[in-house]
Amino acid sequence: MSTTTTMPTTATATETSAARKTTAVADTTAIATADTGARTDEAAALITGARERIDDLDRRIIALVRDRVAVSEGIQRARLGSGGRRVNLAREMEVIGTYSDELGKPGTALAMTLLELCRGRV
């Protein structure tokens, strides 16, 4: 009876290192994809930076909208105090036209939303 002995196979250090790097890259890419939808670290970094800028712009836009609401309230108080109406439809049409000219159909919707936010607060 002959006995054959098989030696367990072991990965070389290079193969193990390559496997670890592949796993690390896959893990990093998975994180980048989960957070940003990107498939590379470079794209994820760009998206993360751009999102930070968008967040800053959104904060500034909200502050400007609040300022617009306050100015509009002052106009409404003055108009009502002088016996006029709360809303000046001709002026609202000018505002809608400006937004529509600059931003197209979505601009019209944006103008309508701004006007709604500013209307009737007094």
Side-chain angles (χ1 to χ4, degrees), residues 2-119:
S2 97
T3 320
T4 55
T5 309
T6 57
M7 298 287 290
T9 58
T10 57
T12 65
T14 303
E15 290 170 334
T16 303
S17 177
R20 284 188 189 132
K21 286 179 185 175
T22 301
T23 301
V25 168
D27 289 346
T28 301
T29 301
I31 291 168
T33 300
D35 292 344
T36 65
R39 293 186 180 237
T40 66
D41 290 339
E42 293 81 17
L46 186 134
I47 291 167
T48 299
R51 283 181 176 173
E52 289 171 2
R53 180 144 191 255
I54 285 173
D55 291 344
D56 180 56
L57 290 167
D58 285 341
R59 282 188 289 277
R60 291 168 46 200
I61 290 167
I62 290 167
L64 289 169
V65 169
R66 287 185 175 143
D67 287 348
R68 191 187 194 292
V69 168
V71 171
S72 181
E73 285 177 5
I75 290 169
Q76 289 175 57
R77 285 183 201 284
R79 193 179 299 121
L80 288 169
S82 71
R85 296 178 47 155
R86 179 184 318 274
V87 176
N88 180 331
L89 295 178
R91 174 62 182 151
E92 287 195 358
M93 292 307 296
E94 288 177 26
V95 171
I96 292 168
T98 299
Y99 277 79
S100 178
D101 290 348
E102 291 295 323
L103 302 171
K105 188 175 180 180
T108 301
L110 179 58
M112 295 294 289
T113 300
L114 284 171
L115 292 169
E116 182 181 349
L117 285 168
C118 294
R119 211 182 277 137

